[in-house]
Amino acid sequence: MSILVTRSSMPDLDEYLKMIESIFTSRWLTNMGPLHQELQKQVSDFLQVPYVSLFVNGHSALEIAYQALDFPEGSEVITTPFTFVSTVNAIVRSGLKPVFCDIKNDDYTLDPAKIENLINENTVAISPVHVYGNVCDVEAIEDIANRYNLKIIYDSAHAFGVQYKGKGIGSFGDISMFSFHATKVFHTIEGGCLTFRDKNLVNIFDRLKDFGLDSSADVSYFAGNAKMDEFRAAMGLCNIKNIDEYIKNRKLAYERYDEKLENISGLQLNKEQKLVKKNYAYYPVCVNPNKFGKSRDEILDRLASRGIFGRKYFYPAINDMKVYINTYGSSNTPIAKSISKNIMCLPLYDGISVNQVDNICDLILG
Ligand SMILES: *Cc1c(COP(=O)(O)O)cnc(C)c1O
């Protein structure tokens, strides 16, 4: 059987069946039902954030974050080209202009030293990404945002359960988005949430995910539909019960990769960050083909020939993708350009065995 880059964590079937039993009695299938409300509460406790709003998926949540902040059309948002395309598509689809800032060489997050040069009178926000669950330089970014009066919208899709200095990662910035897609550390099949500190946003997000309807059935926003249903909330309630075990299993595999691959010339492993509690979401390795003797693509081909599939996360850089390259291109973000050409994510999920990891490492090193 082949080994893919990821595999969804699943509760026991009985556990899920028990969780959805009440839905068959109540026939309350969606529209902020009891399971939705319970999950929202449990996610806010687990993430240690003041407010959580659940959504049908992470991408819609991100677009709704921009809609709520209501920036003037064409305003600029500083973001990273080294991410999943959703981060940047959400900016464009919200009528805003992405401005690409380069990343750091070691943890692949936005380089705060390069942000200020990109700020002008049209800049309204910064949207950094805790890529692979690596924590952005949250203090430096907050300092810049405060000085220039900018909002911070974190894409925390990879960072469920990550803590920095003992605080939930979703408590930094104005709004953070977490994805609960099936491939993420915590999932609701499809789903996502926004975390935030401003109480006023609770009601705004409730309306923006439900056609703009308010309690008197009047409508004050051009909003669509982005509600999470009860069956997905039930999956979330099962998975959040097991989340510590899922993360522990990932940690075992992650640390085995570390043991096998550390101190190999030409392989750059993910940077250890101080004061960070990790979630072991991904295992990125950046290959220097001259030093290692094989390129990233050669390694991935070799693994694929044995039915093992790593992924080129993230390649190409977003500013080199077809829809962006003519306007942008990666020449202003040389680090992101070079990392994206040499980085790969190795298979990592709850349930991959130490033996399988050994096998993968032997193939890479052999
Ligand atoms: C998964 C992901 C998203 C999108 O989340 P969905 O829940 O799939 O809509 C956005 N940004 C990043 C970085 C992601 O990895």
Side-chain angles (χ1 to χ4, degrees), residues 55-62 82-88 129-132 155-158 177-184 188-193 282 313-314:
F55 292 89
V56 69
N57 60 57
H59 181 84
S60 300
L62 203 48
F82 191 73
T83 179
F84 181 56
V85 68
S86 167
T87 316
V88 187
V129 180
H130 301 299
V131 66
Y132 307 131
D155 182 333
S156 304
H158 296 176
M177 178 279 282
F178 292 83
S179 164
F180 304 162
H181 182 257
T183 55
K184 303 300 202 295
T188 60
I189 309 169
E190 292 271 2
C193 77
Y282 297 88
Y313 286 152
F314 289 97

Side-chain angles (χ1 to χ4, degrees), residues 62 65-66 69 71 125-128 151-155 174-176:
L62 203 48
Y66 286 112
L69 293 172
F71 298 123
I126 308 172
S127 183
K151 298 284 186 191
I152 308 172
I153 301 117
Y154 279 109
D155 182 333
D174 294 281
I175 303 177
S176 291

Side-chain angles (χ1 to χ4, degrees), residues 186-201:
F186 166 77
H187 78 85
T188 60
I189 309 169
E190 292 271 2
C193 77
L194 296 174
T195 64
F196 48 98
R197 284 178 296 202
D198 179 359
K199 191 171 194 276
N200 295 317
L201 287 172

Side-chain angles (χ1 to χ4, degrees), residues 87-153:
T87 316
V88 187
N89 280 1
I91 295 170
V92 175
R93 287 169 51 83
S94 304
L96 306 169
K97 183 173 178 267
V99 173
F100 292 102
C101 177
D102 212 353
I103 58 171
K104 288 183 278 172
N105 213 352
D106 51 7
D107 65 16
Y108 318 122
T109 64
L110 212 53
D111 185 348
K114 294 183 181 148
I115 294 176
E116 276 191 81
N117 264 340
L118 300 171
I119 298 175
N120 64 40
E121 67 278 8
N122 298 319
T123 311
V124 289
I126 308 172
S127 183
V129 180
H130 301 299
V131 66
Y132 307 131
N134 290 342
V135 171
C136 293
D137 200 337
V138 290
E139 282 131 354
I141 292 169
E142 184 170 326
D143 175 62
I144 296 168
N146 286 343
R147 278 190 285 122
Y148 291 90
N149 197 22
L150 307 175
K151 298 284 186 191
I152 308 172
I153 301 117

